[in-house]
Amino acid sequence: LELASTGLGAPPAPWAWLALGSGARSELTLGSDQDNALAYGDTGDPEAPAYFAALAEAVNDGLARCGFGDDEAGVLARDPRWRKSESEWIATFEECLVQPDRSGLVRAAIAFDFRHVSGGLPIVGPLVGVLQRAREHPDFLRALARTATDWRPPLGFRGGLVLERDGTGTGRFDVKRGGILPIANLARFHALAHGITISSTLDRLVAAEELGGLEPERAQALREAFVIVWRV
């Protein structure tokens, strides 16, 4: 970010670079890719969109050269869907709550796990304020719960793992998709349902237990399972 902004000159508006997904939760693995977004101030400067598009492009390219590959879903600040003004980001978060369709849930599952990395734009407070109102939207919470409950563990009749077979017959198990994400989705649901705005999966489970949203034994089991699978 410092290298890119030095080359582009002074920014025309305050800005904030946001880590999303596992990067925001501080749960990166050896296979993690980029998940990031950019917010900039509503100054009305006509040069702002082009400047921040160039900034995002430079940073995404630089991270790719460092080994952090492009996100398969395109969750990159260089994509206009993930590069917006402050007011547009607030509106996007609010829209996820009132219109919990598939696209809204996908955005929420990614963007609602965010962490301010750099920049002076005070975007965190307004976005956290939206997250705290999530518990006032039962339709959104029901839809969010289904992102976890609709998932079926890849277990066979005798409790063994059901492996995915490729063209050569080799079996594989996607630890992230089959182990980490279901627990992260559960933790996100319990957090938002109780006004918890921290991003870490383990911290969310602890906070949900302390607020009575999870039974202690169940919360502990989820935390232990998450740690084991994440280490794998």
Side-chain angles (χ1 to χ4, degrees), residues 111-134:
F112 282 15
D113 296 354
F114 74 91
R115 176 168 54 86
H116 184 192
V117 173
S118 185
L121 180 68
I123 187 69
V124 174
L127 295 184
V128 166
V130 178
L131 297 187
Q132 290 175 330
R133 297 197 298 273

Side-chain angles (χ1 to χ4, degrees), residues 197-232:
T197 58
I198 51 180
S199 294
S200 164
T201 297
L202 293 178
D203 290 343
R204 283 171 164 172
L205 293 173
V206 170
E209 177 187 351
E210 291 176 346
L211 292 175
L214 274 174
E215 299 172 358
E217 183 177 351
R218 182 167 298 178
Q220 181 179 354
L222 286 170
R223 290 195 297 269
E224 291 177 353
F226 182 83
V227 170
I228 291 171
V229 176
W230 187 75
R231 286 178 176 170
V232 170

Side-chain angles (χ1 to χ4, degrees), residues 165-181:
R165 302 289 176 179
D166 58 22
T168 64
T170 302
R172 64 188 297 272
F173 172 64
D174 189 327
V175 178
K176 178 179 180 180
R177 183 166 60 87
I180 290 179
L181 289 182

Side-chain angles (χ1 to χ4, degrees), residues 25-67:
R25 299 192 301 269
S26 298
E27 295 165 4
L28 293 172
T29 68
L30 292 175
S32 294
D33 50 25
Q34 294 188 54
D35 289 290
N36 44 57
L38 179 63
Y40 54 89
D42 294 288
T43 62
D45 190 320
E47 298 181 0
Y51 177 94
F52 291 111
L55 178 69
E57 187 74 34
V59 175
N60 286 155
D61 287 347
L63 287 172
R65 291 196 300 274
C66 291

Side-chain angles (χ1 to χ4, degrees), residues 61-170:
D61 287 347
L63 287 172
R65 291 196 300 274
C66 291
F68 288 92
D70 290 350
D71 178 69
E72 293 181 358
V75 184
L76 300 165
R78 68 182 176 209
D79 189 318
R81 294 174 299 176
W82 302 100
R83 186 182 69 254
K84 305 172 184 287
S85 69
E86 179 180 10
S87 61
E88 289 173 330
W89 269 119
I90 295 171
T92 296
F93 270 46
E94 292 175 339
E95 183 181 341
C96 290
L97 298 182
V98 299
Q99 297 181 4
D101 54 13
R102 177 173 174 78
S103 62
L105 283 175
V106 170
R107 287 198 303 273
I110 299 171
F112 282 15
D113 296 354
F114 74 91
R115 176 168 54 86
H116 184 192
V117 173
S118 185
L121 180 68
I123 187 69
V124 174
L127 295 184
V128 166
V130 178
L131 297 187
Q132 290 175 330
R133 297 197 298 273
R135 51 186 167 178
E136 302 171 5
H137 296 268
D139 289 342
F140 169 77
L141 291 178
R142 278 193 292 269
L144 189 66
R146 287 197 294 271
T147 65
T149 59
D150 285 353
W151 180 82
R152 293 291 179 266
L155 299 177
F157 178 71
R158 297 183 182 275
L161 286 175
V162 176
L163 303 180
E164 299 175 1
R165 302 289 176 179
D166 58 22
T168 64
T170 302

